[in-house]
């Protein structure tokens, strides 16, 4: 076991920075294609060394565990993790036709097992092509223009079930929205850049179908997309652009904030974080639909990738060089306002707790609110993905007793979730509170 030493830099207030976004740690690294949290660690795809898995301790020391590397001419680049399965693309520039472009692995904290692979269309190069798990399938794009859908319900036997070819897209990010996929792209048309984002319908076994391309504009380049309610936030080469998706047949732009080349997006509650070529911007999105720019935190080079770690109130970022080159961990607790006291998980006057906890078959979540107002109670996994909404309604405060709601450890589609820690997040008015739920079957 090799422990990688890191430099931990505690934030000092200085010109150009503010107290509300402190730097918790800086982990020097050269290049990272992608990274994603898993259990008590992190998967990192570095250049030419496969996908490494590292456990992370409370002092941000990364301990190397193993590397997923298929060998030969293959070089894994982009990947996604769904429960205990990791799906990765071959990003080698000299890919051998007839060998897999998509690799399926079963992973845990101590090792991995290769399950199967597929090459659906003779893909040549997929180094920067996004990949996403959606509706039981893997969707990925071969630049430029071809999308493939692979059924991975049996990971050891992936099957091509759909494709959308010759779109001229250069796809940079994909996110799911109900039964559709929202795709950050630029089109190779009359101009080199001519587009913003595409909506694609994905309901197996129906064919993949493009609903439309929106935000068309010459020299228009979208790097990332993020959905909040029915609003689409896009990090654009001109700044932050927001679109209303209430009507899938029409997606009007509703907000624009100019920045220096938006690169990546993440969300925590009502706050939107955007990494760009020269730092981080923070926006607030209210339930009434209003958007407000709050702060800008400068950096000396571009921020290319961000991942939220909600249970720790941390924003992890990959910074491409400069004084903070590598992985940067930012403390966002001052924005979210979520803290845990010694007597229980409290924030403001809200209170939320569960019993039993840990649980195996079910738990009851009890919560109280101080004043009447719209209240939501949602459960998230450790990747910050919403897995279940337990309450979403206007509620009245109760002078005695609490509200309570059962949770059986299943997601919105009634699928039993894997053993893990989940975050129960209560929002009422301007106050929030959280508690951790441990599912152990």
């Amino acid at each position: 076991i090799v422990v990688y030493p890191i430099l931990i830099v505690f934030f000092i207030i200085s010109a150009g920075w503010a107290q509300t976004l402190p730097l918790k740690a800086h982990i020097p690294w050269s290049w990272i294609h992608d990274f994603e949290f898993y259990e008590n660690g992190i998967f990192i795809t570095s250049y030419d060394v496969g996908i490494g898995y590292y456990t992370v301790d409370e002092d941000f020391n990364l301990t190397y565990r193993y590397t997923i590397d298929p060998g030969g001419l293959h070089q894994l680049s982009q990947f996604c993790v769904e429960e205990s399965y990791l799906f990765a693309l071959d990003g080698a520039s000299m890919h051998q036709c007839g060998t897999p472009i998509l690799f399926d692995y079963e992973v845990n904290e101590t090792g991995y097992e290769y399950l199967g692979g597929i090459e659906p269309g003779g893909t040549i190069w997929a180094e920067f092509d996004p990949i996403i798990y959606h509706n039981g399938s893997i969707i990925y794009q071969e630049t430029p223009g071809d999308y493939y859908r692979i059924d991975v319900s049996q990971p050891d036997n992936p099957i091509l079930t759909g494709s959308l070819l010759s779109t001229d897209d250069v796809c940079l990010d994909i996110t799911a929205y109900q039964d559709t996929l929202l795709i950050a792209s630029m089109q190779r048309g009359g101009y080199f850049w001519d587009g913003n984002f595409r909506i694609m319908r994905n309901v197996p076994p129906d064919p993949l179908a493009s609903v439309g391309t929106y935000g068309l504009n010459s020299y228009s380049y979208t790097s990332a997309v993020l959905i909040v309610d029915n609003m689409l936030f896009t990090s654009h080469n001109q700044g932050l652009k927001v679109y209303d998706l209430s009507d899938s047949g029409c997606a009007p732009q509703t907000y624009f904030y100019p920045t220096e080349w938006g690169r990546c997006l993440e969300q925590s509650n009502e706050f939107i974080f955007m990494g760009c070529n020269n730092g981080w911007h923070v926006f607030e999105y209210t339930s009434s639909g209003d958007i407000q720019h709050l702060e800008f935190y400068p950096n000396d080079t571009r921020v290319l990738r961000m991942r939220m770690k909600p249970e720790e109130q941390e924003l992890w970022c990959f910074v491409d060089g400069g004084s903070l080159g590598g992985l940067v961990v930012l403390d966002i607790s001052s924005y979210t306002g979520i803290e845990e006291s010694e007597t229980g998980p409290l924030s403001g006057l809200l209170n939320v707790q569960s019993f039993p906890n840990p649980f195996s078959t079910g738990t009851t979540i009890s919560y109280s609110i101080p004043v009447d107002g719209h209240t939501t109670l949602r459960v998230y996994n450790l990747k910050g993905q919403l897995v279940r909404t337990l309450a979403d309604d206007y509620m009245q405060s109760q002078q005695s007793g609490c509200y309570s709601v059962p949770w059986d450890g299943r997601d919105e589609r009634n699928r039993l979730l894997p053993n893990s820690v989940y975050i129960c997040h209560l929002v009422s008015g301007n106050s929030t509170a959280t508690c951790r739920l441990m599912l152990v079957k």
Side-chain angles (χ1 to χ4, degrees):
I1 297 177
V2 179
V3 177
Y4 283 70
I6 66 170
L7 173 64
I8 299 180
V9 183
F10 291 97
F11 190 75
I12 301 176
I13 302 173
S14 60
W17 290 84
Q19 189 176 4
T20 51
L21 197 62
L23 177 68
K24 295 183 73 172
H26 173 211
I27 306 171
W29 214 282
S30 54
W31 175 262
I32 294 175
H33 281 294
D34 199 1
F35 67 92
E36 189 164 338
F37 301 115
Y38 175 75
E39 299 292 345
N40 296 313
I42 184 172
F43 283 107
I44 300 176
T45 318
S46 300
Y47 191 75
D48 287 341
V49 291
I51 302 175
Y53 182 68
Y54 306 80
T55 52
V56 185
D57 66 20
E58 60 184 11
D59 294 321
F60 300 99
N61 294 302
L62 270 61
T63 301
Y64 172 77
R65 297 302 182 186
Y66 60 84
T67 296
I68 301 175
D69 186 355
L73 297 178
H74 300 291
Q75 177 55 53
L76 303 182
S77 55
Q78 306 302 116
F79 70 96
C80 65
V81 180
E82 178 64 20
E83 297 180 353
S84 61
Y85 299 105
L86 184 146
F87 306 94
L89 293 175
D90 181 8
S93 58
M94 297 183 64
H95 171 75
Q96 287 181 301
C97 291
T99 62
I101 189 72
L102 173 69
F103 292 81
D104 300 355
Y105 297 92
E106 187 168 14
V107 296
N108 55 47
E109 289 189 293
T110 59
Y112 68 95
E113 178 184 359
Y114 172 69
L115 299 179
I118 188 173
E119 182 191 51
T123 309
I124 301 301
W125 190 42
E127 183 173 7
F128 299 104
D129 297 334
I131 177 174
I132 187 172
Y133 178 90
H134 183 243
N135 282 352
S137 300
I138 289 294
I139 309 292
Y140 79 91
Q141 193 223 25
E142 173 198 352
T143 298
D146 295 339
Y147 295 89
Y148 295 98
R149 181 178 67 200
I150 313 298
D151 182 344
V152 292
S153 57
Q154 298 181 11
D156 58 348
N157 184 33
I159 301 173
L160 174 67
T161 60
S163 61
L164 184 67
L165 307 179
S166 303
T167 64
D168 284 332
D169 288 4
V170 177
C171 175
L172 297 174
D173 189 29
I174 307 175
T175 192
Y177 175 56
Q178 299 174 358
D179 287 334
T180 65
L181 298 171
L182 306 174
I183 298 168
S185 68
M186 60 183 181
Q187 275 72 49
R188 294 186 175 184
Y191 298 90
F192 178 67
W193 296 344
D194 185 22
N196 196 343
F197 68 93
R198 178 185 297 278
I199 300 179
M200 182 188 301
R201 187 172 182 271
N202 175 43
V203 185
D206 295 346
L208 285 176
S210 178
V211 177
T213 303
Y214 301 88
L216 290 174
N217 186 19
S218 299
Y219 297 98
S220 184
Y221 188 139
T222 305
S223 299
V225 287
L226 174 69
I227 186 71
V228 183
D229 297 329
N230 60 348
M231 306 300 292
L232 179 67
F233 290 74
T234 68
S235 57
H236 193 271
N237 65 310
Q238 298 171 358
L240 179 73
K241 292 188 175 184
V242 184
Y243 299 83
D244 187 346
L245 298 181
S246 300
D247 181 0
S248 61
C250 177
Q253 181 178 314
T254 60
Y255 180 84
F256 171 65
Y257 188 90
T259 67
E260 183 176 326
W261 204 306
R263 291 287 182 177
C264 46
L265 290 166
E266 275 292 344
Q267 173 203 5
S268 179
N269 305 328
E270 67 271 30
F271 298 101
I272 309 296
F273 300 85
M274 182 172 74
C276 57
N277 268 14
N278 61 346
W280 293 267
H281 289 267
V282 185
F283 300 84
E284 183 178 19
Y285 171 72
T286 66
S287 57
S288 61
D290 295 330
I291 302 171
Q292 179 182 2
H293 181 262
L294 298 181
E295 299 285 353
F296 170 63
Y297 303 95
N299 188 44
D300 54 4
T301 189
R302 57 186 184 170
V303 182
L304 290 185
R305 179 76 69 179
M306 299 192 303
R307 298 286 189 190
M308 190 67 64
K309 201 170 185 182
E311 76 280 8
E312 302 294 345
Q313 293 303 290
E314 295 169 353
L315 181 65
W316 288 56
C317 314
F318 167 55
V319 176
D320 183 21
S323 60
L324 291 178
L327 284 170
V328 171
V329 184
L330 302 176
D331 183 350
I332 61 169
S333 60
S334 57
Y335 281 107
T336 59
I338 299 175
E339 298 178 355
E340 292 187 358
S341 70
E342 294 181 358
T343 59
L346 302 174
S347 178
L349 298 177
L350 296 183
N351 184 12
V352 59
Q353 54 190 334
S354 68
F355 183 81
N357 191 14
F359 70 99
S360 58
T361 59
T363 186
T364 298
I365 301 167
S366 302
Y367 59 98
S368 60
I369 58 176
V371 296
D372 299 353
H374 191 89
T375 301
T376 61
L377 184 69
R378 296 186 170 103
V379 180
Y380 296 84
N381 62 23
L382 293 183
K383 294 187 287 186
Q385 299 168 327
L386 176 65
V387 297
R388 188 74 176 266
T389 297
L390 300 175
D392 186 358
D393 204 353
Y394 186 90
M395 297 183 182
Q396 295 180 336
S397 61
Q398 297 185 7
Q399 296 299 321
S400 61
C402 300
Y403 290 97
S404 63
V405 60
W407 184 47
D408 56 5
R410 296 178 180 270
D411 65 11
E412 300 284 13
R413 299 173 63 185
N414 201 38
R415 298 176 300 185
L416 187 60
L417 294 168
N419 292 350
S420 185
V421 174
Y422 295 88
I423 308 301
C424 182
H425 186 213
L426 173 67
V427 179
S428 186
N430 295 321
S431 300
T432 63
T434 64
C435 70
R436 302 186 185 192
L437 311 173
M438 182 175 291
L439 174 59
V440 180
K441 297 191 290 288

